[in-house]
């Protein structure tokens, strides 16, 4: 049975993941400036905190994309009919709570199966179980893995469409984003589609509010990475002595999140000592914002061609349908 097999496979992946977590943390905190990879935010608690962020009015990317998706899905349904793609297989990268898939499943009646990939296993299994209850005819396979890597997917004979909502691609550096797009192309195959949500450049005060909510949910999400290090790597971070710091870096076109040491302090992790000067920060996340044309150029470098583009009101968010054509095959590139 697909689900049991996928779960078995993930056991090995989980221990590899634990090892790389330790190595990445020790390496990242030895760098100047210190840094931690944002993928490590998402343990069970971190995933829950991210869901809480999505419930905030200030965090517009979530609401704006969700409001746009039914229109996108209705257009897609027509698009695939016109392209004579009868049945669809969707692969969601970084599936999380699987809430964004609902407008697609409600509007496109040709989706036969869904492979949901996410690094947070427990959260993923719960979300998949819920989805199976709601869509009884849908074949749902969870894969608890790092979605940025190429994955061997079994052949279905159906038209494949990757789904990467939420502007999670913004959390990757440009080079990493290119690698992701390249790997997604390898995973999905030539001719496959990718529906991707990308946050846009916009007035700074909107961005600032989205990453500095007054209730401090984003601050807790940021600090949770320290709690995780304490628990999983025998660390002794005192969360009271670190502050959340998020700002828009105009030169790089990205929101940066940091954890700032509020005093000079020493921290032990996995029997190693790290010194923090007062005001020194750990860079925990980038969230790149793209003009749609900037993103189309990036995607094309990885052989993904823009077939459709939907913009949210006030250009607050963009959703693109890309198609993968790695060789010389010509496609309609409107
Ligand atoms: C998951 N990702 C797209 C979010 C973002 O906006 O970059 C993560 C996040 N960080 C702080 N708030 C939300």
């Amino acid at each position: 049975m697909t689900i049991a097999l996928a779960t078995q496979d993930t056991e090995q992946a989980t221990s590899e993941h634990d090892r790389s977590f330790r190595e990445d943390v020790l390496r990242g905190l030895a760098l100047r400036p210190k840094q931690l990879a944002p993928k490590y935010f998402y343990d069970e608690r971190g995933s829950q905190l991210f869901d809480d962020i999505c419930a905030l009015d200030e965090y517009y990317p979530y609401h704006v994309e969700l409001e746009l998706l039914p229109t996108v899905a209705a257009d897609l349904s027509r698009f695939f009919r016109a392209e004579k793609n009868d049945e669809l297989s969707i692969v969601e990268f970084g599936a999380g709570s699987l809430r964004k898939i609902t407008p697609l499943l409600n509007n496109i009646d040709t989706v036969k199966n869904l492979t949901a990939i996410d690094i947070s296993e427990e959260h993923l299994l719960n979300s998949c179980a819920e989805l199976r209850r709601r869509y009884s005819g849908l074949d749902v396979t969870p894969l608890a893995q790092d979605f940025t890597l190429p994955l061997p997917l079994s052949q279905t004979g159906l038209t494949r469409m990757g789904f990467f909502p939420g502007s999670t691609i913004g959390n990757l550096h440009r080079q990493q984003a290119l690698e992701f797009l390249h790997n997604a192309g390898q995973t999905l195959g030539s001719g496959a589609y990718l529906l991707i949500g990308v946050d846009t450049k916009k007035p700074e005060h909107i961005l600032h509010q989205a990453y500095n909510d007054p209730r401090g949910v984003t601050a807790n999400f940021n600090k949770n990475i320290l709690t995780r290090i304490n628990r999983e790597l025998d660390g002794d971070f005192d969360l009271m002595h670190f502050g959340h710091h998020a700002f828009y870096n105009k030169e790089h076109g990205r929101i940066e999140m940091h954890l700032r040491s509020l005093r000079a302090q020493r921290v032990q992790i996995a029997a190693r000592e790290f010194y923090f000067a007062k005001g020194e920060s750990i860079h925990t996340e980038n969230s790149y914002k793209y003009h749609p044309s900037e993103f189309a150029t990036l995607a094309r470098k990885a052989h993904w061609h823009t077939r459709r583009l939907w913009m949210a009101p006030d250009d607050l968010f963009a959703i693109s349908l890309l198609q993968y054509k790695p060789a010389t095959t010509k496609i309609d590139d409107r």
Side-chain angles (χ1 to χ4, degrees), residues 1-287:
M1 194 175 103
T2 35
I3 297 148
L5 277 175
T7 310
Q8 261 173 21
D9 287 349
T10 59
E11 277 172 23
Q12 195 186 349
T14 305
S15 64
E16 273 164 30
H17 176 255
D18 290 348
R19 229 187 345 269
S20 39
F21 178 48
R22 183 179 184 280
E23 281 165 17
D24 287 353
V25 167
L26 296 179
R27 197 180 312 122
L29 294 182
L31 293 173
R32 297 290 174 276
K34 292 179 168 66
Q35 49 187 271
L36 293 170
K39 66 179 176 185
Y40 295 124
F41 282 135
Y42 301 94
D43 61 356
E44 183 61 9
R45 168 99 182 114
S47 300
Q48 180 55 55
L49 282 165
F50 181 61
D51 284 353
D52 295 346
I53 288 176
C54 292
L56 297 168
D57 288 343
E58 292 85 0
Y59 192 67
Y60 69 86
Y62 179 78
H63 310 288
V64 166
E65 186 185 43
L66 202 57
E67 272 161 34
L68 186 57
L69 274 169
T71 305
V72 171
D75 286 352
L76 273 179
S77 179
R78 285 188 286 272
F79 173 88
F80 284 121
R81 223 174 297 134
E83 296 267 307
K84 309 247 179 304
N85 295 124
D86 296 331
E87 297 191 324
L88 266 187
S89 169
I90 297 186
V91 178
E92 183 166 349
F93 297 97
S97 296
L98 283 164
R99 277 201 222 118
K100 302 248 175 87
I101 197 74
T102 309
L104 300 190
L105 297 176
N106 290 348
N107 286 281
I108 311 173
D109 56 11
T110 51
V111 181
K112 293 294 157 207
N113 63 48
L114 169 72
T115 303
I117 311 167
D118 199 278
I119 206 162
S120 177
E121 185 173 20
E122 211 177 325
H123 206 65
L124 177 69
L125 294 178
N126 290 339
S127 307
C128 284
E130 168 66 19
L131 213 56
R132 253 181 244 116
R133 269 193 296 276
R134 282 174 37 214
Y135 298 89
S136 51
L138 186 71
D139 182 4
V140 184
T141 305
L143 269 184
Q145 300 211 356
D146 182 348
F147 64 79
T148 59
L149 304 174
L151 297 163
L153 295 181
S154 48
Q155 287 302 322
T156 59
L158 309 179
T159 298
R160 264 203 188 121
M161 183 178 81
F163 182 41
F164 196 30
S167 200
T168 303
I169 195 154
N171 296 134
L172 306 175
H173 292 294
R174 286 195 170 78
Q175 189 52 38
Q176 292 172 325
L178 273 175
E179 273 164 33
F180 165 77
L181 289 167
H182 172 80
N183 290 341
Q186 298 294 303
T187 299
L188 298 169
S190 181
Y193 298 90
L194 178 64
L195 186 69
I196 184 164
V198 181
D199 198 10
T200 53
K201 292 195 162 88
K202 56 183 58 70
E204 272 181 45
H205 70 274
I206 303 177
L207 291 168
H208 183 86
Q209 278 171 8
Y211 292 84
N212 290 282
D213 66 276
R215 287 174 48 206
V217 181
T218 311
N220 289 340
F221 171 74
N222 197 5
K223 286 187 183 186
N224 179 58
I225 203 164
L226 304 184
T227 309
R228 182 172 182 188
I229 293 173
N230 284 350
R231 185 182 62 245
E232 293 183 26
L233 302 178
D234 198 18
D236 66 356
F237 277 109
D238 185 338
L239 270 59
M240 295 292 290
H241 296 134
F242 284 86
H244 168 73
H245 181 51
F247 62 95
Y248 185 63
N249 181 329
K250 200 168 181 178
E251 188 194 335
H252 293 289
R254 69 191 189 200
I255 284 281
E256 288 186 18
M257 283 213 317
H258 294 254
L259 287 164
R260 214 183 234 168
S261 178
L262 302 177
R263 65 177 195 183
Q265 53 186 319
R266 250 176 245 284
V267 176
Q268 272 217 353
I269 302 158
R272 298 259 283 272
E273 275 215 329
F274 295 91
Y275 176 75
F276 289 82
K278 182 174 179 189
E280 187 179 356
S281 82
I282 312 172
H283 189 170
T284 49
E285 187 183 65
N286 289 315
S287 194

Side-chain angles (χ1 to χ4, degrees), residues 318-329:
I319 299 179
S320 301
L321 179 70
L322 310 176
Q323 191 175 20
Y324 188 56
K325 287 286 168 179
T328 50
T329 326

